[in-house]
Amino acid sequence: MTMDDPAGASRLILWFSPAFPTGAFSFSHGLEWAVEAEDVQDRASLQAWIEGVLRDGAGWSDAVLISAIHRAARAADEQALLETAELALALQPSLERRLESTVQGEAFLKAVETGWSHPAIARFREAWRDPIALPVAVGMAAAANGIEARAVLQAYLTGLAANLVSAAIRLAPIGQSDGLRVLSALEPAIAELAARAETATLEDLGGCAIRSDIASMRHETQTTRLFRS
């Protein structure tokens, strides 16, 4: 399935919609602290923050992991699946970011199993007993359902950006109109990253979104919080 395939496109829209029960709405990826610290104050600073996350932070890392899991699942390479699943957990830079990824990962795969069960997912469940990071769950589900890597990468990165914009609107440095402008402006970056990640390997992992990582650590002790991360 590709984005040109109606069934595949509909499935991806559903999987990354607010209605899909992953609990994404309860996480801000450190953005809540960034707003309090005034790193994010308006549309321009929000756009810069999210683009940094996409290009140099969890956006890029997750996209590479999704691509690697997708290839390993298509090849039925169990060792590569397990090693990448372990790496995805090890890459989380803070306790809250690990919570964010694993809570959503477990919920995402459980929801996919409920509506779109597949023997490959069941075999992975039997082999991997530790928490499942979100990019691992997404890559596994997409491969099992015959959805091409580029399509799921585009959908995943768009969903990540949209969730951060939604969090920013609730935190009030921007309104809905500016949120839509940010998402529109990020479309070229998302398309570029999805294309790059499709052929990327684990050797391409790396990032430097240091302020975002610090934000996720500082959020743990933030006095007033709306979000879990």
Side-chain angles (χ1 to χ4, degrees):
M1 296 181 186
T2 69
M3 291 300 281
D4 295 326
D5 177 79
S10 296
R11 195 162 299 177
L12 287 176
I13 290 169
L14 176 59
W15 284 1
F16 296 104
S17 75
F20 208 62
T22 63
F25 65 90
S26 63
F27 297 99
S28 81
H29 204 77
L31 183 61
E32 186 167 20
W33 183 85
V35 170
E36 182 172 297
E38 298 186 350
D39 287 357
V40 174
Q41 305 178 55
D42 52 23
R43 187 179 83 195
S45 55
L46 176 65
Q47 182 177 326
W49 182 273
I50 296 177
E51 187 160 1
V53 170
L54 290 172
R55 289 189 178 278
D56 301 311
W60 173 248
S61 295
D62 284 1
V64 173
L65 291 166
I66 289 170
S67 189
I69 285 287
H70 191 277
R71 282 193 296 269
R74 284 283 185 91
D77 187 340
E78 182 175 306
Q79 182 176 351
L81 280 173
L82 299 181
E83 289 177 353
T84 307
E86 184 177 13
L87 179 61
L89 287 179
L91 287 174
Q92 303 306 317
S94 69
L95 178 63
E96 286 196 354
R97 285 275 291 280
R98 179 185 169 97
L99 176 73
E100 177 181 308
S101 188
T102 56
V103 166
Q104 292 185 80
E106 292 282 356
F108 183 92
L109 202 58
K110 182 178 179 180
V112 169
E113 287 175 298
T114 299
W116 303 272
S117 61
H118 192 280
I121 299 176
R123 289 193 297 270
F124 175 71
R125 283 284 202 188
E126 291 178 4
W128 180 257
R129 298 292 184 172
D130 288 324
I132 300 171
L134 181 58
V136 174
V138 170
M140 188 73 229
N145 281 269
I147 299 174
E148 290 189 359
R150 175 78 70 89
V152 74
L153 288 166
Q154 184 104 14
Y156 180 87
L157 292 171
T158 300
L160 173 59
N163 194 61
L164 291 177
V165 166
S166 174
I169 291 171
R170 282 175 281 164
L171 290 166
I174 64 164
Q176 291 182 334
S177 295
D178 276 345
L180 293 173
R181 293 184 183 101
V182 169
L183 289 172
S184 174
L186 290 172
E187 285 182 348
I190 289 171
E192 175 203 334
L193 289 167
R196 284 173 50 205
E198 183 180 15
T199 57
T201 70
L202 295 179
E203 296 298 320
D204 297 305
L205 279 170
C208 57
I210 298 172
R211 191 70 172 170
S212 174
D213 294 342
I214 292 173
S216 72
M217 299 172 194
R218 294 285 179 85
H219 186 267
E220 292 182 30
T221 56
Q222 194 168 335
T223 303
T224 303
R225 303 193 304 177
L226 295 176
F227 297 92
R228 298 178 69 183
S229 72

